[in-house]
Structures are given as C-alpha cells and as structure tokens.
Amino acid sequence: MGYGHSQKRPWLAVVLGVVVTGLGHAYLGRWRRAVAWLSVDLGVATFVTPEATLQALTTSAQFPTAELVPIFAVTSISIADAYLLAHRAGPNSPSDGESGTERACPHCGRSAEPELEFCQWCSTRLDEPDARAESESEA
C-alpha cells in the first residue's frame, strides 16, 4: 500500500471553523492564525457586543441576532480564510512561513517540517544529498 500526499480537506476546515473560531486553522497547522482569529472573535465579543446581549443568549429564548452581527462577521471571515487556505494548500504549495525555518526536500522538492530529520512526504533523509540527483548528474 503506497502513501499518497496529505492534502487538507477544505470542508473539514470549514466544519471545524464553525464549531470554534480558529479550529479550522489549527487543523491546517496554521497555529498563529488560529490564535489570532480566536483572539479577534473573543475581542469582538468582549468589546463590541453589548454584555446584555451575551447574557440574553443564556437566559432567554429570544435570539438577539442584530447585535451579534459583528461576531458572525468575524467568524464567517475566519471560516472563509480557513477554506481558502485549505483549498490552496496542495502538496507542493509553499508555506506562509509560520513554522519558521522550513526547508525543501532535495528529493521531491516539497517543504519538510524543520524538526524532522526526514521528508514527511517521501521519507528521504534531509541531511543527505539526493541520491537520484547525484546519479543523474554522473550519467
């Protein structure tokens, strides 16, 4: 059984983003964005939405939708961002540099996790030169 590439599913990023703002970004490995979106959402809930509205969500059956528009807007933009990131993120797509010093695999050219000693895509050791490239250059 061969191992294929691990492409993230956009629909799963959307579902997770609906559950908790930023969770879709966490699924994609975009931790800074996940924390940023959650912080913005909590900031809007704290500083923009009236406290009486937030209390009404737990105490009354009436849902004050007009006053919750800012929270819904931030959550919707976060979900759209997670979807677009997941949709764009193919196996060969470059990272946005969030994880620090990513390096390219000499064998397959995909970005490899910096803390690993091997490529997670093709299992080539990263500290050794690509044997295929050497054999092709000798021929």
Side-chain angles (χ1 to χ4, degrees), residues 5 16 18 68 78 103-104 114 124 126 128-129 139:
H5 58 73
L16 292 171
V18 168
L68 294 174
S78 170
R103 49 191 171 165
T124 301
L126 295 175
E128 297 175 0

Side-chain angles (χ1 to χ4, degrees), residues 11-129:
W11 64 267
L12 185 54
V14 168
V15 170
L16 292 171
V18 168
V19 173
V20 175
T21 302
L23 194 57
H25 292 89
Y27 161 70
L28 297 171
R30 307 296 179 103
W31 298 103
R32 289 184 194 160
R33 276 190 161 165
V35 170
W37 278 114
L38 183 60
S39 299
V40 168
D41 199 40
L42 291 175
V44 167
T46 302
F47 299 113
V48 176
T49 307
E51 187 176 333
T53 301
L54 297 176
Q55 289 175 351
L57 290 174
T58 58
T59 58
S60 69
Q62 192 176 22
F63 197 69
T65 56
E67 293 157 346
L68 294 174
V69 168
I71 295 174
F72 289 141
V74 169
T75 302
S76 299
I77 295 169
S78 170
I79 291 168
D81 183 48
Y83 173 80
L84 292 173
L85 284 173
H87 189 67
R88 282 192 321 217
N92 293 320
S93 67
S95 172
D96 63 355
E98 284 186 329
S99 63
T101 59
E102 289 194 9
R103 49 191 171 165
C105 173
H107 180 72
C108 68
R110 295 177 179 167
S111 63
E113 296 292 329
E115 63 271 359
L116 297 178
E117 296 177 3
F118 61 92
C119 174
Q120 71 267 23
W121 305 108
C122 67
S123 71
T124 301
R125 289 193 55 85
L126 295 175
D127 56 353
E128 297 175 0

